[in-house]
Amino acid sequence: MSHLLERPAAGATDQVPPPRDRARLLRRQRRSRWDMRLAPYLYISPFFVLFALVGLYPLLYTGYLSLFDWDRAAYVRGEFVGLANYAFVLGDPVFRKTLVNTFSIFVMSSIPQVVIAVVVAALLAGNLRGRTVWRMSVLLPFVVAPTAAVLIFGSLFADRYGLANAVLAEVGLEPIRWHVERWWSHAAIAGMVNWRWTGYNALIFLAAMQAVPRELYESAALDGAGRVRQFLFITLPLIRPTMIFIIVTSTIGGLQIFTEPRLFDDSPAREGGPNQQYMTTTLYVYARGIEDQFYGRASAAAWVLFVIIILVVALNFAITRAVTRRSVR
């Protein structure tokens, strides 16, 4: 009887694995846990490694150069000057003028660009005939090479024979010297930026609008809300993350504008016009660093621009979140 009780029950499958198999199983479990913890970081690490090499290192090295003078004759780093380069840049009237030019072009381009992109996206989200063709067509300006676009608009806004002045002459207005008058040159450059980027941002807004549940619009329509009220109280609040993303990226790009003012005029005065009337801050960095070879001052100007962009982006982010939260309430 006792011998029978010591036998395992019939059908029992629980068996204790040998010590070697148990150790192997424990090692496999540990590797599995570490794999779950480290795998996400390993997957995204190539971006951060590449960013550290081509983004973070140049940024830090630029800050290092901004604290030194530069021997232009020997092409070597000179003596340590501390914040003297920053004092020169902040006291330079040309640099202050470039800041005004940069913010002027930024306001003329980024604000209308975002507003028009939202409106275009709302129209493309409707029931249009051939809407696929329309959605593809708004991206065509973005496909055009920036240099080609700038050359086209440079001819469009030519001082004597441009199409813009020809239209003004037809309606009895005086021609505008687009490359000489400061604020009109800003408007022309902002027009190039808007033409190239509005369609791209409109497609991003369109993708966000299509993700909004249709049931919300149907419920609002049953409650008597028209299309305008649906757009203001349903669409805009629900695409808030996308709108913040577009505003942040437009701010960064608008304050770093370089190609359009650099190629706007093909005259020998290539630094934003003869009186720097449309010279942006990035053009100032280029002129001081590449043409004048004042690398310390150019590095200081680049860091000042970097700090300004961070502050403006943070301000835009806070204002956008406050406005959208109030609209939701």
Side-chain angles (χ1 to χ4, degrees), residues 275-299:
N275 296 319
Q276 291 86 33
Q277 64 268 21
Y278 54 87
M279 184 180 190
T280 59
T281 308
T282 52
L283 265 178
Y284 179 89
V285 174
Y286 172 82
R288 292 294 173 268
I290 303 301
E291 296 182 357
D292 299 340
Q293 298 179 0
F294 288 111
Y295 296 117
R297 296 174 182 176
S299 300

PDB file of all heavy atoms in Angstrom, residues 275-299:
ATOM      1  N   ASN A 275      22.047  97.449 -48.864  1.00  0.00           N
ATOM      2  CA  ASN A 275      21.924  98.031 -47.524  1.00  0.00           C
ATOM      3  C   ASN A 275      21.478  97.001 -46.492  1.00  0.00           C
ATOM      4  O   ASN A 275      20.932  97.370 -45.451  1.00  0.00           O
ATOM      5  CB  ASN A 275      20.934  99.199 -47.547  1.00  0.00           C
ATOM      6  CG  ASN A 275      21.420 100.342 -48.410  1.00  0.00           C
ATOM      7  OD1 ASN A 275      22.605 100.688 -48.391  1.00  0.00           O
ATOM      8  ND2 ASN A 275      20.518 100.929 -49.190  1.00  0.00           N
ATOM      9  N   GLN A 276      21.692  95.721 -46.791  1.00  0.00           N
ATOM     10  CA  GLN A 276      21.248  94.622 -45.913  1.00  0.00           C
ATOM     11  C   GLN A 276      19.757  94.730 -45.584  1.00  0.00           C
ATOM     12  O   GLN A 276      19.319  94.415 -44.488  1.00  0.00           O
ATOM     13  CB  GLN A 276      22.053  94.591 -44.609  1.00  0.00           C
ATOM     14  CG  GLN A 276      23.495  94.194 -44.761  1.00  0.00           C
ATOM     15  CD  GLN A 276      24.389  95.367 -45.104  1.00  0.00           C
ATOM     16  OE1 GLN A 276      24.136  96.490 -44.671  1.00  0.00           O
ATOM     17  NE2 GLN A 276      25.441  95.127 -45.855  1.00  0.00           N
ATOM     18  N   GLN A 277      18.964  95.176 -46.566  1.00  0.00           N
ATOM     19  CA  GLN A 277      17.538  95.395 -46.293  1.00  0.00           C
ATOM     20  C   GLN A 277      16.760  94.086 -46.175  1.00  0.00           C
ATOM     21  O   GLN A 277      15.679  94.065 -45.582  1.00  0.00           O
ATOM     22  CB  GLN A 277      16.901  96.279 -47.377  1.00  0.00           C
ATOM     23  CG  GLN A 277      16.880  95.679 -48.766  1.00  0.00           C
ATOM     24  CD  GLN A 277      18.109  96.077 -49.572  1.00  0.00           C
ATOM     25  OE1 GLN A 277      19.134  96.464 -48.999  1.00  0.00           O
ATOM     26  NE2 GLN A 277      18.005  96.001 -50.885  1.00  0.00           N
ATOM     27  N   TYR A 278      17.265  92.989 -46.698  1.00  0.00           N
ATOM     28  CA  TYR A 278      16.623  91.692 -46.487  1.00  0.00           C
ATOM     29  C   TYR A 278      17.642  90.639 -46.060  1.00  0.00           C
ATOM     30  O   TYR A 278      17.460  89.449 -46.301  1.00  0.00           O
ATOM     31  CB  TYR A 278      15.848  91.238 -47.735  1.00  0.00           C
ATOM     32  CG  TYR A 278      16.647  91.203 -49.014  1.00  0.00           C
ATOM     33  CD1 TYR A 278      17.379  90.091 -49.374  1.00  0.00           C
ATOM     34  CD2 TYR A 278      16.641  92.297 -49.876  1.00  0.00           C
ATOM     35  CE1 TYR A 278      18.101  90.062 -50.548  1.00  0.00           C
ATOM     36  CE2 TYR A 278      17.351  92.278 -51.056  1.00  0.00           C
ATOM     37  CZ  TYR A 278      18.081  91.164 -51.391  1.00  0.00           C
ATOM     38  OH  TYR A 278      18.807  91.138 -52.564  1.00  0.00           O
ATOM     39  N   MET A 279      18.670  91.086 -45.373  1.00  0.00           N
ATOM     40  CA  MET A 279      19.679  90.166 -44.836  1.00  0.00           C
ATOM     41  C   MET A 279      19.156  89.540 -43.551  1.00  0.00           C
ATOM     42  O   MET A 279      18.826  90.241 -42.598  1.00  0.00           O
ATOM     43  CB  MET A 279      20.976  90.917 -44.560  1.00  0.00           C
ATOM     44  CG  MET A 279      22.120  90.037 -44.085  1.00  0.00           C
ATOM     45  SD  MET A 279      23.615  91.028 -43.779  1.00  0.00           S
ATOM     46  CE  MET A 279      24.826  89.730 -43.558  1.00  0.00           C
ATOM     47  N   THR A 280      19.059  88.226 -43.523  1.00  0.00           N
ATOM     48  CA  THR A 280      18.579  87.526 -42.335  1.00  0.00           C
ATOM     49  C   THR A 280      19.751  87.169 -41.422  1.00  0.00           C
ATOM     50  O   THR A 280      20.920  87.336 -41.778  1.00  0.00           O
ATOM     51  CB  THR A 280      17.819  86.257 -42.731  1.00  0.00           C
ATOM     52  OG1 THR A 280      18.693  85.394 -43.481  1.00  0.00           O
ATOM     53  CG2 THR A 280      16.607  86.601 -43.575  1.00  0.00           C
ATOM     54  N   THR A 281      19.436  86.640 -40.250  1.00  0.00           N
ATOM     55  CA  THR A 281      20.479  86.314 -39.287  1.00  0.00           C
ATOM     56  C   THR A 281      21.358  85.170 -39.770  1.00  0.00           C
ATOM     57  O   THR A 281      22.570  85.166 -39.538  1.00  0.00           O
ATOM     58  CB  THR A 281      19.847  85.962 -37.930  1.00  0.00           C
ATOM     59  OG1 THR A 281      18.948  86.998 -37.539  1.00  0.00           O
ATOM     60  CG2 THR A 281      20.910  85.811 -36.860  1.00  0.00           C
ATOM     61  N   THR A 282      20.777  84.197 -40.437  1.00  0.00           N
ATOM     62  CA  THR A 282      21.596  83.109 -40.979  1.00  0.00           C
ATOM     63  C   THR A 282      22.520  83.617 -42.083  1.00  0.00           C
ATOM     64  O   THR A 282      23.639  83.129 -42.235  1.00  0.00           O
ATOM     65  CB  THR A 282      20.699  81.992 -41.525  1.00  0.00           C
ATOM     66  OG1 THR A 282      19.730  82.549 -42.424  1.00  0.00           O
ATOM     67  CG2 THR A 282      19.995  81.269 -40.401  1.00  0.00           C
ATOM     68  N   LEU A 283      22.057  84.602 -42.861  1.00  0.00           N
ATOM     69  CA  LEU A 283      22.934  85.220 -43.850  1.00  0.00           C
ATOM     70  C   LEU A 283      24.071  85.973 -43.168  1.00  0.00           C
ATOM     71  O   LEU A 283      25.199  86.013 -43.671  1.00  0.00           O
ATOM     72  CB  LEU A 283      22.130  86.169 -44.741  1.00  0.00           C
ATOM     73  CG  LEU A 283      21.617  85.610 -46.071  1.00  0.00           C
ATOM     74  CD1 LEU A 283      20.812  86.665 -46.806  1.00  0.00           C
ATOM     75  CD2 LEU A 283      22.761  85.118 -46.925  1.00  0.00           C
ATOM     76  N   TYR A 284      23.776  86.578 -42.033  1.00  0.00           N
ATOM     77  CA  TYR A 284      24.812  87.260 -41.264  1.00  0.00           C
ATOM     78  C   TYR A 284      25.869  86.262 -40.790  1.00  0.00           C
ATOM     79  O   TYR A 284      27.078  86.539 -40.872  1.00  0.00           O
ATOM     80  CB  TYR A 284      24.170  87.979 -40.077  1.00  0.00           C
ATOM     81  CG  TYR A 284      25.136  88.716 -39.187  1.00  0.00           C
ATOM     82  CD1 TYR A 284      25.471  90.037 -39.440  1.00  0.00           C
ATOM     83  CD2 TYR A 284      25.702  88.085 -38.073  1.00  0.00           C
ATOM     84  CE1 TYR A 284      26.366  90.716 -38.616  1.00  0.00           C
ATOM     85  CE2 TYR A 284      26.587  88.757 -37.249  1.00  0.00           C
ATOM     86  CZ  TYR A 284      26.920  90.074 -37.523  1.00  0.00           C
ATOM     87  OH  TYR A 284      27.804  90.742 -36.708  1.00  0.00           O
ATOM     88  N   VAL A 285      25.434  85.117 -40.293  1.00  0.00           N
ATOM     89  CA  VAL A 285      26.374  84.076 -39.866  1.00  0.00           C
ATOM     90  C   VAL A 285      27.223  83.620 -41.053  1.00  0.00           C
ATOM     91  O   VAL A 285      28.445  83.445 -40.943  1.00  0.00           O
ATOM     92  CB  VAL A 285      25.615  82.903 -39.239  1.00  0.00           C
ATOM     93  CG1 VAL A 285      26.562  81.753 -38.915  1.00  0.00           C
ATOM     94  CG2 VAL A 285      24.882  83.346 -37.978  1.00  0.00           C
ATOM     95  N   TYR A 286      26.585  83.434 -42.192  1.00  0.00           N
ATOM     96  CA  TYR A 286      27.309  83.013 -43.397  1.00  0.00           C
ATOM     97  C   TYR A 286      28.328  84.068 -43.824  1.00  0.00           C
ATOM     98  O   TYR A 286      29.484  83.742 -44.152  1.00  0.00           O
ATOM     99  CB  TYR A 286      26.311  82.750 -44.518  1.00  0.00           C
ATOM    100  CG  TYR A 286      26.947  82.493 -45.861  1.00  0.00           C
ATOM    101  CD1 TYR A 286      27.437  81.235 -46.190  1.00  0.00           C
ATOM    102  CD2 TYR A 286      27.049  83.511 -46.806  1.00  0.00           C
ATOM    103  CE1 TYR A 286      28.021  80.996 -47.421  1.00  0.00           C
ATOM    104  CE2 TYR A 286      27.634  83.287 -48.044  1.00  0.00           C
ATOM    105  CZ  TYR A 286      28.115  82.031 -48.351  1.00  0.00           C
ATOM    106  OH  TYR A 286      28.703  81.797 -49.563  1.00  0.00           O
ATOM    107  N   ALA A 287      27.909  85.331 -43.815  1.00  0.00           N
ATOM    108  CA  ALA A 287      28.808  86.398 -44.253  1.00  0.00           C
ATOM    109  C   ALA A 287      30.004  86.553 -43.322  1.00  0.00           C
ATOM    110  O   ALA A 287      31.144  86.720 -43.774  1.00  0.00           O
ATOM    111  CB  ALA A 287      28.036  87.720 -44.342  1.00  0.00           C
ATOM    112  N   ARG A 288      29.767  86.474 -42.016  1.00  0.00           N
ATOM    113  CA  ARG A 288      30.872  86.639 -41.075  1.00  0.00           C
ATOM    114  C   ARG A 288      31.774  85.408 -41.048  1.00  0.00           C
ATOM    115  O   ARG A 288      32.987  85.517 -40.885  1.00  0.00           O
ATOM    116  CB  ARG A 288      30.320  86.903 -39.671  1.00  0.00           C
ATOM    117  CG  ARG A 288      29.620  88.241 -39.536  1.00  0.00           C
ATOM    118  CD  ARG A 288      30.590  89.391 -39.702  1.00  0.00           C
ATOM    119  NE  ARG A 288      29.900  90.668 -39.727  1.00  0.00           N
ATOM    120  CZ  ARG A 288      29.475  91.274 -40.829  1.00  0.00           C
ATOM    121  NH1 ARG A 288      29.694  90.708 -42.008  1.00  0.00           N
ATOM    122  NH2 ARG A 288      28.872  92.432 -40.776  1.00  0.00           N
ATOM    123  N   GLY A 289      31.215  84.241 -41.206  1.00  0.00           N
ATOM    124  CA  GLY A 289      32.015  83.033 -41.090  1.00  0.00           C
ATOM    125  C   GLY A 289      32.699  82.618 -42.374  1.00  0.00           C
ATOM    126  O   GLY A 289      33.876  82.253 -42.368  1.00  0.00           O
ATOM    127  N   ILE A 290      31.974  82.661 -43.507  1.00  0.00           N
ATOM    128  CA  ILE A 290      32.510  82.156 -44.765  1.00  0.00           C
ATOM    129  C   ILE A 290      33.213  83.258 -45.548  1.00  0.00           C
ATOM    130  O   ILE A 290      34.343  83.073 -46.017  1.00  0.00           O
ATOM    131  CB  ILE A 290      31.394  81.518 -45.603  1.00  0.00           C
ATOM    132  CG1 ILE A 290      30.706  80.406 -44.811  1.00  0.00           C
ATOM    133  CG2 ILE A 290      31.959  80.977 -46.921  1.00  0.00           C
ATOM    134  CD1 ILE A 290      31.623  79.298 -44.374  1.00  0.00           C
ATOM    135  N   GLU A 291      32.571  84.399 -45.683  1.00  0.00           N
ATOM    136  CA  GLU A 291      33.136  85.452 -46.514  1.00  0.00           C
ATOM    137  C   GLU A 291      34.182  86.281 -45.763  1.00  0.00           C
ATOM    138  O   GLU A 291      35.274  86.533 -46.261  1.00  0.00           O
ATOM    139  CB  GLU A 291      32.018  86.343 -47.047  1.00  0.00           C
ATOM    140  CG  GLU A 291      31.049  85.600 -47.977  1.00  0.00           C
ATOM    141  CD  GLU A 291      29.978  86.510 -48.540  1.00  0.00           C
ATOM    142  OE1 GLU A 291      29.944  87.701 -48.164  1.00  0.00           O
ATOM    143  OE2 GLU A 291      29.180  86.031 -49.361  1.00  0.00           O
ATOM    144  N   ASP A 292      33.856  86.718 -44.531  1.00  0.00           N
ATOM    145  CA  ASP A 292      34.791  87.533 -43.753  1.00  0.00           C
ATOM    146  C   ASP A 292      35.749  86.701 -42.908  1.00  0.00           C
ATOM    147  O   ASP A 292      36.757  87.219 -42.431  1.00  0.00           O
ATOM    148  CB  ASP A 292      34.017  88.481 -42.833  1.00  0.00           C
ATOM    149  CG  ASP A 292      33.136  89.439 -43.618  1.00  0.00           C
ATOM    150  OD1 ASP A 292      33.405  89.626 -44.825  1.00  0.00           O
ATOM    151  OD2 ASP A 292      32.179  89.991 -43.036  1.00  0.00           O
ATOM    152  N   GLN A 293      35.423  85.430 -42.695  1.00  0.00           N
ATOM    153  CA  GLN A 293      36.254  84.499 -41.937  1.00  0.00           C
ATOM    154  C   GLN A 293      36.459  84.928 -40.485  1.00  0.00           C
ATOM    155  O   GLN A 293      37.486  84.649 -39.882  1.00  0.00           O
ATOM    156  CB  GLN A 293      37.609  84.297 -42.629  1.00  0.00           C
ATOM    157  CG  GLN A 293      37.497  83.681 -44.011  1.00  0.00           C
ATOM    158  CD  GLN A 293      38.834  83.521 -44.683  1.00  0.00           C
ATOM    159  OE1 GLN A 293      39.866  83.871 -44.122  1.00  0.00           O
ATOM    160  NE2 GLN A 293      38.821  82.994 -45.898  1.00  0.00           N
ATOM    161  N   PHE A 294      35.467  85.573 -39.916  1.00  0.00           N
ATOM    162  CA  PHE A 294      35.443  85.833 -38.480  1.00  0.00           C
ATOM    163  C   PHE A 294      34.664  84.693 -37.814  1.00  0.00           C
ATOM    164  O   PHE A 294      33.506  84.833 -37.461  1.00  0.00           O
ATOM    165  CB  PHE A 294      34.785  87.177 -38.173  1.00  0.00           C
ATOM    166  CG  PHE A 294      35.616  88.365 -38.540  1.00  0.00           C
ATOM    167  CD1 PHE A 294      35.259  89.198 -39.574  1.00  0.00           C
ATOM    168  CD2 PHE A 294      36.770  88.656 -37.835  1.00  0.00           C
ATOM    169  CE1 PHE A 294      36.015  90.294 -39.906  1.00  0.00           C
ATOM    170  CE2 PHE A 294      37.545  89.758 -38.153  1.00  0.00           C
ATOM    171  CZ  PHE A 294      37.172  90.587 -39.204  1.00  0.00           C
ATOM    172  N   TYR A 295      35.306  83.553 -37.652  1.00  0.00           N
ATOM    173  CA  TYR A 295      34.597  82.367 -37.201  1.00  0.00           C
ATOM    174  C   TYR A 295      34.090  82.507 -35.768  1.00  0.00           C
ATOM    175  O   TYR A 295      33.041  81.974 -35.426  1.00  0.00           O
ATOM    176  CB  TYR A 295      35.506  81.143 -37.324  1.00  0.00           C
ATOM    177  CG  TYR A 295      35.885  80.822 -38.744  1.00  0.00           C
ATOM    178  CD1 TYR A 295      37.215  80.864 -39.161  1.00  0.00           C
ATOM    179  CD2 TYR A 295      34.911  80.492 -39.675  1.00  0.00           C
ATOM    180  CE1 TYR A 295      37.560  80.581 -40.473  1.00  0.00           C
ATOM    181  CE2 TYR A 295      35.255  80.213 -40.991  1.00  0.00           C
ATOM    182  CZ  TYR A 295      36.574  80.258 -41.384  1.00  0.00           C
ATOM    183  OH  TYR A 295      36.910  79.991 -42.673  1.00  0.00           O
ATOM    184  N   GLY A 296      34.825  83.190 -34.926  1.00  0.00           N
ATOM    185  CA  GLY A 296      34.369  83.388 -33.561  1.00  0.00           C
ATOM    186  C   GLY A 296      33.105  84.217 -33.506  1.00  0.00           C
ATOM    187  O   GLY A 296      32.151  83.884 -32.791  1.00  0.00           O
ATOM    188  N   ARG A 297      33.047  85.310 -34.276  1.00  0.00           N
ATOM    189  CA  ARG A 297      31.856  86.146 -34.296  1.00  0.00           C
ATOM    190  C   ARG A 297      30.687  85.423 -34.965  1.00  0.00           C
ATOM    191  O   ARG A 297      29.546  85.553 -34.521  1.00  0.00           O
ATOM    192  CB  ARG A 297      32.157  87.459 -35.025  1.00  0.00           C
ATOM    193  CG  ARG A 297      33.206  88.312 -34.326  1.00  0.00           C
ATOM    194  CD  ARG A 297      33.589  89.523 -35.149  1.00  0.00           C
ATOM    195  NE  ARG A 297      34.635  90.305 -34.484  1.00  0.00           N
ATOM    196  CZ  ARG A 297      35.204  91.372 -35.024  1.00  0.00           C
ATOM    197  NH1 ARG A 297      34.844  91.774 -36.240  1.00  0.00           N
ATOM    198  NH2 ARG A 297      36.141  92.028 -34.354  1.00  0.00           N
ATOM    199  N   ALA A 298      30.974  84.688 -36.021  1.00  0.00           N
ATOM    200  CA  ALA A 298      29.905  83.924 -36.669  1.00  0.00           C
ATOM    201  C   ALA A 298      29.342  82.867 -35.724  1.00  0.00           C
ATOM    202  O   ALA A 298      28.127  82.650 -35.674  1.00  0.00           O
ATOM    203  CB  ALA A 298      30.433  83.270 -37.943  1.00  0.00           C
ATOM    204  N   SER A 299      30.202  82.222 -34.956  1.00  0.00           N
ATOM    205  CA  SER A 299      29.739  81.221 -33.993  1.00  0.00           C
ATOM    206  C   SER A 299      28.912  81.864 -32.891  1.00  0.00           C
ATOM    207  O   SER A 299      27.889  81.314 -32.457  1.00  0.00           O
ATOM    208  CB  SER A 299      30.937  80.486 -33.384  1.00  0.00           C
ATOM    209  OG  SER A 299      31.696  79.835 -34.382  1.00  0.00           O
TER     210      SER A 299
END
